[in-house]
Amino acid sequence: MSIADSIFLANCNEILRYGVWDTDLPVRAKWSDGSPAHTIKKFGIVNRYNLSEEFPITTYRKTNLENSIDEILWIWQLKSNNVKDLKSHIWDNWASPNGSIGKAYGYQLGVKHMYTEGLFDQVDRIIFDLKNNPSSRRIISNVYVHADLHEMNLYPCAYSLTLNVADGRLNGILNQRSQDMLVANNWNVCQYAVLLHMFAQVSNLSVGELIHVISDAHIYDRHIPIIEHVISNTPFPAPKFINDNSVKDFHAF
């Protein structure tokens, strides 16, 4: 069993055993038949993944790594908010007829801000600091911009990444306001693990820890039988992440 498998198993068991139901509250989400999509949740879960030991993809069930990386590059490399730039269709339900999801995610990362050294967007500023000021405690991205929330078709879930260099290793804290454990948990973990590998590579650093802070970690009512089936599977050994510097496409920035 990999560390990622053991963390996912522990999270799901904790939610199912000790979680709180929202069945007495009105909820935004609906099932296709119009029924309210209630959840059982645990507030405030913190998971730590040592990326130098293994790549944190679970083996209990398949994670579509190709599409998850495509989405993170859509946000962080293309800095796009248009689904026409995305290979998968995971954002189609939140897109306008022209493909835009509003001023969300990639749009926010592409907005330029003035610093002492000049104009940078958030991605370029992170790279600048990692290369020029790795001891900084201010290497932070944030896409939860209150002034623009009314122009976002969906409020950001994974909204902030804080990076920190210690002993030549790049560590990151991903803050997430809401997490659908079945659909999105390992998807997001893999995305930001890859992102840390990329930032480390372009900054001549090694990878360290990815810390995932989830405010509202939940399982939907109709997902419970699926979750129970998934965590009853036999996991496989942890996979290895091979960063082949000869693969030019990996140099995302």
Side-chain angles (χ1 to χ4, degrees):
M1 177 184 293
S2 68
I3 296 172
D5 283 322
S6 63
I7 289 174
F8 182 74
L9 176 63
N11 285 175
C12 290
N13 281 331
E14 185 173 6
I15 294 169
L16 292 174
R17 292 176 184 175
Y18 307 112
V20 176
W21 281 98
D22 63 7
T23 47
D24 59 336
L25 298 172
V27 293
R28 177 186 57 83
K30 299 287 189 295
W31 295 109
S32 58
D33 61 6
S35 302
H38 286 289
T39 64
I40 181 171
K41 74 174 184 181
K42 185 75 176 180
F43 180 78
I45 285 180
V46 180
N47 297 322
R48 306 182 79 106
Y49 303 90
N50 188 338
L51 303 185
S52 67
E53 292 182 357
E54 67 176 48
F55 186 76
I57 189 169
T58 58
T59 67
Y60 275 116
R61 67 193 292 261
K62 181 180 179 180
T63 296
N64 192 325
L65 188 61
E66 181 178 356
N67 282 345
S68 71
I69 295 174
D70 180 57
E71 186 197 24
I72 204 68
L73 293 181
W74 175 62
I75 296 170
W76 283 82
Q77 181 189 41
L78 297 180
K79 302 164 191 172
S80 174
N81 62 341
N82 196 295
V83 298
K84 294 178 182 178
D85 298 323
L86 192 61
K87 294 178 182 177
S88 65
H89 298 281
I90 57 174
W91 275 95
D92 287 2
N93 289 340
W94 289 278
S96 61
N98 67 358
S100 173
I101 63 168
K103 292 184 176 181
Y105 287 105
Y107 171 90
Q108 296 296 337
L109 291 178
V111 174
K112 292 187 181 295
H113 303 274
M114 179 58 71
Y115 300 85
T116 303
E117 300 86 356
L119 280 172
F120 295 87
D121 64 33
Q122 292 191 53
V123 180
D124 291 338
R125 182 66 203 190
I126 285 174
I127 296 171
F128 177 86
D129 281 337
L130 289 175
K131 289 182 175 181
N132 296 281
N133 190 18
S135 64
S136 173
R137 297 186 291 269
R138 302 173 179 178
I139 309 177
I140 302 169
S141 72
N142 177 38
V143 298
Y144 204 93
V145 179
H146 286 261
D148 291 337
L149 288 177
H150 69 290
E151 296 187 68
M152 298 183 191
N153 295 4
L154 182 69
Y155 286 12
C157 292
Y159 65 89
S160 174
L161 180 66
T162 302
L163 298 178
N164 187 276
V165 178
D167 195 26
R169 294 185 180 276
L170 179 62
N171 306 294
I173 298 177
L174 171 64
N175 283 291
Q176 192 154 2
R177 65 167 179 84
S178 175
Q179 177 85 91
D180 178 340
M181 293 299 293
L182 177 66
V183 173
N185 178 262
N186 196 239
W187 175 284
N188 292 137
V189 171
C190 289
Q191 286 182 318
Y192 281 86
V194 168
L195 188 64
L196 254 65
H197 273 279
M198 291 178 171
F199 276 134
Q201 178 175 305
V202 299
S203 307
N204 293 317
L205 297 166
S206 300
V207 288
E209 278 193 300
L210 170 63
I211 301 168
H212 190 193
V213 181
I214 311 169
S215 296
D216 190 307
H218 54 265
I219 299 172
Y220 282 97
D221 48 10
R222 297 186 185 181
H223 287 173
I224 288 179
I226 305 173
I227 284 281
E228 291 175 336
H229 173 72
V230 166
I231 61 180
S232 71
N233 291 335
T234 302
F236 293 92
K240 297 294 183 182
F241 183 82
I242 301 175
N243 179 358
D244 184 352
N245 290 330
S246 67
V247 181
K248 295 182 180 179
D249 288 345
F250 187 77
H251 293 268
F253 303 106

